[in-house]
Amino acid sequence: MKIVTIIGARPQFIKAAMISRAIIEHNRHSKGERIEEKILHTGQHYDRNMSDIFFNRLGIPQPTWKLHCGGIGSHAKMTAQMLVEIEKALLESMPDRVLVYGDTNSTLSGALAATQLHIPVAHVEAGLRSFNRKMPEETNRVLTDHIASQLFCPTYGAIRNLRDEGITRNVFHSGDVMYDAALTFGKVAEEQSTIMSTLGLDRRSFYLCTVHRAENTDDKDRLTQIVHALTEIATPDRPVIWPLHPRTELYLDTFRLRETLAAHPAVKIIDPVDYIDMVMLEKEAATILTDSGGVQKEAYFHRTPCITLREETEWTETIEAGWNRLAGYKTGKIIQSLHIESERKEIEEYGDGHAAEKIIQALCS
């Protein structure tokens, strides 16, 4: 079986790493069909710490195709550029399956290009819904689910979402490959990461923040209110550590918020970090503040409380279990959310750490 895996954004590298490892193990032990995987990297994330270094540290095979479709630009322009280039690669290789992940422009472009060439699409992390159609990610995931041939759902809630939209065939509860990654790379981070000593941090002595969604970065009022919340909660004894996404950096400068941050040295802006260091920061933070869907889950995997800087989340089970709180973007609500105590429960539906193996078994069957 020939598979082309299409990735382009940081969370997809992590998920792909687990699937690639499962493919290697399958080929090593299976007496049946072998899998030949080729990787296409769209270049949606273009910063070295957010892209190239991942392949080295996560053990992902180097891409057969590496496109240059990243950068700051409209979703239409990026998606169109990806469609053209992905189609060329698929015509060259004509795989049996195309594997896409999550909800990025790379996801939708890969699914569309494959479908137009009558190549079956397998969607990992299918069925998630925020029910906010203003989010580009919501459009990407809904369209991808409706053209995919196999849908691998991380939760039972995702399966229910698909059923409500009339999608019931070839739907699998695989568990979450990000949980596989958390178990695998959590141990690696403890052994290899030096980020805590480099930044002079102690366990549970800091807040960790990530902001990258266009709804927050591109809106002056929203980004300003988030920045003000961070400056309010940060203290010398409990700083905010903020690995800065390239998009966020652009708009901090555009909206002249650098001056505000410069007056508050307890908000420590750092360059994007690789996945191993990010895992370590997530494990050791007192609380995580983020608008990232993936980081919300990783916070739970490492049993770190999370404040989500959005009005909704795809990962509703993290809210119901008490590990996550929706704060939106307003300064007062963010600060208030930090001080709310809640009972926390375990979440069973993310699986047992073998989601990638189950996906490979389903692909082969």
Side-chain angles (χ1 to χ4, degrees):
M1 180 189 293
K2 295 192 296 183
I3 291 177
V4 168
T5 293
I6 296 177
I7 55 178
R10 174 181 178 137
Q12 295 168 337
F13 305 150
I14 303 160
K15 298 163 193 169
M18 304 316 298
I19 298 293
S20 293
R21 286 171 173 234
I23 288 173
I24 291 169
E25 285 301 306
H26 168 84
N27 288 341
R28 184 178 296 158
H29 299 294
S30 175
K31 295 179 181 178
E33 185 176 40
R34 292 178 60 81
I35 299 173
E36 176 190 346
E37 182 189 29
K38 292 183 178 180
I39 293 177
L40 185 153
H41 179 8
T42 67
Q44 184 169 339
H45 274 174
Y46 50 92
D47 181 273
R48 181 176 181 273
N49 279 332
M50 301 183 78
S51 179
D52 292 349
I53 202 168
F54 269 60
F55 291 95
N56 297 324
R57 297 210 59 178
L58 299 187
I60 305 174
Q62 287 296 317
T64 302
W65 302 274
K66 189 169 182 182
L67 312 182
H68 300 281
C69 301
I72 303 298
S74 72
H75 290 282
K77 181 179 179 181
M78 186 184 294
T79 303
Q81 187 180 7
M82 287 179 185
L83 262 173
V84 171
E85 298 302 322
I86 292 171
E87 183 183 63
K88 291 178 185 177
L90 295 182
L91 285 169
E92 175 187 322
S93 58
M94 288 306 294
D96 301 301
R97 293 279 190 283
V98 165
L99 194 58
V100 297
Y101 297 83
D103 55 20
T104 68
N105 292 339
S106 300
T107 308
L108 179 59
S109 300
L112 285 172
T115 299
Q116 289 163 359
L117 296 173
H118 308 293
I119 301 169
V121 175
H123 186 199
V124 175
E125 209 172 74
L128 299 181
R129 298 291 183 269
S130 68
F131 303 102
N132 177 3
R133 288 298 178 92
K134 293 181 179 179
M135 291 174 54
E137 294 87 353
E138 184 77 351
T139 302
N140 291 344
R141 62 173 74 105
V142 170
L143 292 175
T144 301
D145 283 340
H146 279 265
I147 58 179
S149 303
Q150 290 175 292
L151 301 102
F152 297 103
C153 299
T155 66
Y156 294 113
I159 293 176
R160 289 192 294 272
N161 291 336
L162 293 176
R163 185 184 61 212
D164 290 345
E165 295 174 15
I167 303 173
T168 57
R169 295 186 62 188
N170 295 323
V171 174
F172 305 85
H173 175 250
S174 59
D176 198 325
V177 291
M178 290 296 285
Y179 182 48
D180 298 14
L183 294 177
T184 299
F185 293 113
K187 297 174 183 176
V188 174
E190 291 176 0
E191 296 168 357
Q192 297 183 9
S193 175
T194 60
I195 191 72
M196 294 290 290
S197 58
T198 298
L199 297 177
L201 299 171
D202 295 321
R203 178 175 170 79
R204 305 302 187 200
S205 69
F206 63 96
Y207 301 115
L208 176 64
C209 178
T210 76
V211 179
H212 79 280
R213 288 191 182 270
E215 65 193 79
N216 285 330
T217 61
D218 301 15
D219 185 302
K220 183 176 182 180
D221 179 52
R222 294 176 77 105
L223 190 58
T224 299
Q225 293 221 39
I226 290 170
V227 165
H228 285 165
L230 299 180
T231 60
E232 285 288 322
I233 67 174
T235 67
D237 293 333
R238 183 163 286 185
V240 171
I241 306 301
W242 190 358
L244 201 58
H245 189 283
R247 183 185 193 94
T248 315
E249 183 175 26
L250 172 67
Y251 284 101
L252 285 178
D253 292 334
T254 300
F255 300 142
R256 304 191 66 178
L257 291 169
R258 289 281 194 173
E259 293 88 343
T260 302
L261 290 166
H264 295 83
V267 180
K268 299 183 182 296
I269 291 178
I270 63 174
D271 290 335
V273 297
D274 70 25
Y275 179 58
I276 301 300
D277 286 338
M278 188 63 179
V279 166
M280 199 65 192
L281 290 173
E282 290 171 347
K283 288 169 66 73
E284 301 299 319
T287 302
I288 296 172
L289 300 97
T290 187
D291 61 6
S292 162
V295 173
Q296 291 173 51
K297 281 188 304 172
E298 289 168 357
Y300 166 72
F301 295 153
H302 302 303
R303 303 304 189 267
T304 301
C306 183
I307 305 296
T308 294
L309 306 175
R310 289 166 51 194
E311 307 294 339
E312 71 289 306
T313 180
E314 304 79 18
W315 306 104
T316 53
E317 61 280 350
T318 63
I319 303 288
E320 295 161 1
W323 289 95
N324 191 6
R325 291 186 286 277
L326 292 176
Y329 67 92
K330 292 188 175 180
T331 301
K333 184 70 177 293
I334 295 169
I335 296 170
Q336 180 186 28
S337 296
L338 274 176
H339 302 292
I340 298 174
E341 292 294 330
S342 57
E343 181 182 353
R344 299 186 181 119
K345 301 179 292 184
E346 297 297 300
I347 302 172
E348 301 293 337
E349 56 188 303
Y350 290 136
D352 56 4
H354 297 282
E357 297 167 33
K358 293 175 182 176
I359 290 170
I360 296 304
Q361 289 170 5
L363 288 172
C364 289
S365 65

